[in-house]
Amino acid sequence: MRGIEEPVVGTVPFSITAGPDRIKLRAALPIDTFGFDVFENLVANSAAPAPALTDDVPFAALFNDPAIGLYLNLLDDIYTKYALQIADDLEDGGAVLAPDEITIVEPEPIEDRFGSGDDMDSDRKGADVSPDADDGPNLVTEDRSIGSEGPAATDCWSLGQASRNPSIYDTLGNFAPLVRGIMALDTVGPLEGYLLDLRDGVPEVVLVQHGLVPSRLERLIDRAREQMKEARDIQVLCLARAAYWEDQGRKTLPVVSDEFLELLGDEGPDLVERYTIKETDIVRKPEAAPYEFESAAYRDTLDRFEIGFVPPPVSDLDVRYRFARQGQDELDIEALRNNSFRLAFGRLADGSVAFATDARTLERFLAILAIRTAEAGRSTGDKLWVKGNPEHLVTLGLLYPVEEVRSYFSTGGFEVLDQYRSVRVSLLPSENFSGLSIDAELTHD
């Protein structure tokens, strides 16, 4: 057990150059891995050449490391401990630890921590990782995968939020199930992220997954769909039950009755057959049939380009119960019924898969790929590569989305950042020592 800052050892040589049009930083970060797999992976060379789709967007990022899932789990573990510490200290009136004061323990190997699962190969480290491989290390383990823990029971008061530890990925909206699925992958191909714009207050985001075996991709998507479908069903049932009890003037059990079924409309028979409705929670029945995701409701085309959807479609029950909580005057119900902001995905020409905020975002991304004029300029060895347009991000209100950060950067002498047109950061293993090399550049160009 060591402090989070301790792996960085020795001196950190760096250089900074500044001119009228640019500021450039180069640094070498020596790292002692202490035998921890997470640090050994971090300083190892990337397994795949860095793909280059486009950088003609306000923000683009590449994560080129097969251990992405391990890093995502570590980040979530740190966040969870920090959030729980804050909650405990606020309750006790004590001091709150900063993130760099929290000690971390390297996560155990996947098979030790979550169980081996039916698909885990004992010799998977030597397996073929190509997209055409029948088997490989791109495995979603049964014990960690979405919807694999058996019948789900959700407390209707919390709707699933207070019943588990806080997660940093709860803030990702429809992308959260995908990220949790990626966390469960033993090995992940290069991952790219793009921010295209802001529409109706919602970021238009694209996530491109490379090198995932098709069968594993299908399982990842199906389990994300299952998690979102189950969460939606349980929320609808919770709210419908509350409305039923309000109509009755008291809590009545059993809940299922003709009057209650009328509140659920055409979906009623399927919902009450799939879930047991108790006084305090909603439980998915062990014998419930699998969800059906092959229907037309989960498919569409964009100019002959086939796409799929991850969340369930919007129905009358969503409008009546779920959206009523948000205030329907603020929502374009018709747009939501037509799949606005419904996470969509499609397979690209190179075999990678793009997930987007919705079909409109995916269509826009495909158009950018078709007419792109700029090359990303990334190195084949980059572990992390980020490029953005600070001026554009400020215009969108996304450069400093957190009020505390925005206040600091607008009053702490850093307000000049929004005058720059390009920021680029790359992180790659050093060839001369155990550690990482960092390149960063701000330009007016």
Side-chain angles (χ1 to χ4, degrees):
M1 182 177 295
R2 297 180 180 271
I4 191 171
E5 75 283 357
E6 293 184 26
V8 180
V9 296
T11 59
V12 180
F14 67 93
S15 66
I16 298 178
T17 58
D21 296 325
R22 69 189 63 235
I23 300 174
K24 192 169 186 178
L25 166 69
R26 303 197 70 178
L29 195 65
I31 295 178
D32 188 337
T33 64
F34 300 118
F36 283 179
D37 286 346
V38 63
F39 298 126
E40 294 282 1
N41 284 312
L42 190 62
V43 300
N45 290 325
S46 297
L53 293 181
T54 183
D55 63 358
D56 291 339
V57 292
F59 181 84
L62 162 74
F63 302 91
N64 187 17
D65 192 309
I68 292 173
L70 181 63
Y71 304 145
L72 291 174
N73 274 291
L74 180 62
L75 178 63
D76 200 37
D77 285 345
I78 295 173
Y79 174 86
T80 297
K81 292 176 182 177
Y82 183 45
L84 292 176
Q85 179 69 51
I86 290 177
D88 290 342
D89 287 336
L90 290 178
E91 182 176 343
D92 298 337
V96 177
L97 292 177
D100 61 358
E101 297 179 284
I102 298 175
T103 55
I104 60 172
V105 179
E106 181 194 19
E108 299 174 25
I110 290 176
E111 56 269 43
D112 294 339
R113 187 179 181 192
F114 296 97
S116 60
D118 297 336
D119 288 329
M120 295 297 289
D121 295 330
S122 60
D123 59 346
R124 65 182 181 277
K125 290 185 178 179
D128 184 0
V129 298
S130 65
D132 297 328
D134 293 332
D135 293 299
N138 295 317
L139 306 178
V140 182
T141 64
E142 293 298 334
D143 287 343
R144 292 183 65 193
S145 59
I146 295 169
S148 65
E149 290 127 4
T154 300
D155 174 6
C156 285
W157 174 79
S158 64
L159 291 178
Q161 294 303 310
S163 59
R164 58 181 173 84
N165 289 336
S167 169
I168 194 172
Y169 305 117
D170 289 338
T171 61
L172 298 181
N174 285 346
F175 282 90
L178 281 178
V179 174
R180 293 195 181 97
I182 292 172
M183 290 167 63
L185 295 175
D186 184 44
T187 301
V188 183
L191 194 67
E192 299 194 74
Y194 299 92
L195 171 65
L196 308 189
D197 207 339
L198 195 68
R199 172 163 43 99
D200 296 334
V202 178
E204 292 188 302
V205 174
V206 178
L207 189 68
V208 182
Q209 171 69 66
H210 296 269
L212 196 60
V213 177
S215 60
R216 310 308 177 197
L217 172 68
E218 182 178 346
R219 295 181 62 197
L220 173 67
I221 293 173
D222 280 349
R223 285 167 178 172
R225 284 171 164 172
E226 180 177 343
Q227 185 190 44
M228 299 188 80
K229 171 65 172 169
E230 185 168 313
R232 176 267 180 191
D233 287 353
I234 289 176
Q235 187 178 35
V236 164
L237 286 171
C238 286
L239 297 172
R241 187 187 61 181
Y244 172 68
W245 281 342
E246 184 177 354
D247 290 343
Q248 297 295 311
R250 60 188 177 89
K251 290 185 177 182
T252 59
L253 293 173
V255 172
V256 177
S257 64
D258 291 341
E259 292 85 355
F260 181 70
L261 284 172
E262 288 181 5
L263 297 178
L264 298 176
D266 295 339
E267 296 183 56
D270 179 70
L271 288 172
V272 298
E273 183 177 343
R274 191 177 298 277
Y275 300 94
T276 298
I277 306 172
K278 300 182 179 181
E279 181 179 2
T280 57
D281 54 27
I282 310 292
V283 182
R284 184 177 173 186
K285 297 177 181 178
E287 69 276 12
Y291 294 106
E292 174 57 53
F293 299 124
E294 297 301 322
S295 66
Y298 283 87
R299 299 194 305 270
D300 202 351
T301 57
L302 294 175
D303 192 22
R304 299 185 299 277
F305 182 82
E306 294 185 1
I307 67 171
F309 297 103
V310 180
V314 170
S315 74
D316 291 340
L317 291 185
D318 296 292
V319 176
R320 184 183 308 166
Y321 297 113
R322 298 174 61 233
F323 297 162
R325 292 164 51 117
Q326 304 176 35
Q328 296 189 32
D329 293 340
E330 302 175 2
L331 299 174
D332 187 340
I333 301 299
E334 191 60 31
L336 293 174
R337 288 185 182 275
N338 290 324
N339 301 321
S340 287
F341 308 117
R342 186 183 177 196
L343 186 65
F345 66 91
R347 187 174 293 275
L348 304 180
D350 63 356
S352 60
V353 178
F355 297 91
T357 298
D358 58 10
R360 177 175 168 181
T361 303
L362 185 57
E363 184 176 34
R364 182 176 178 183
F365 182 68
L366 295 174
I368 292 174
L369 295 185
I371 63 173
R372 74 172 190 257
T373 58
E375 290 298 329
R378 56 192 70 165
S379 164
T380 57
D382 285 337
K383 287 270 188 174
L384 172 67
W385 180 94
V386 176
K387 185 174 181 181
N389 184 328
E391 182 191 37
H392 198 161
L393 293 173
V394 167
T395 302
L396 295 175
L398 294 173
L399 185 59
Y400 317 125
V402 180
E403 178 58 37
E404 291 80 0
V405 176
R406 180 165 53 250
S407 175
Y408 176 79
F409 276 92
S410 60
T411 60
F414 295 94
E415 54 270 22
V416 295
L417 285 179
D418 59 9
Q419 300 176 19
Y420 288 89
R421 305 296 184 269
S422 174
V423 57
R424 179 186 60 82
V425 178
S426 64
L427 190 71
L428 66 159
S430 172
E431 297 179 358
N432 302 318
F433 61 91
S434 177
L436 299 169
S437 296
I438 302 172
D439 282 313
E441 186 177 38
L442 273 170
T443 68
H444 287 290
D445 300 335

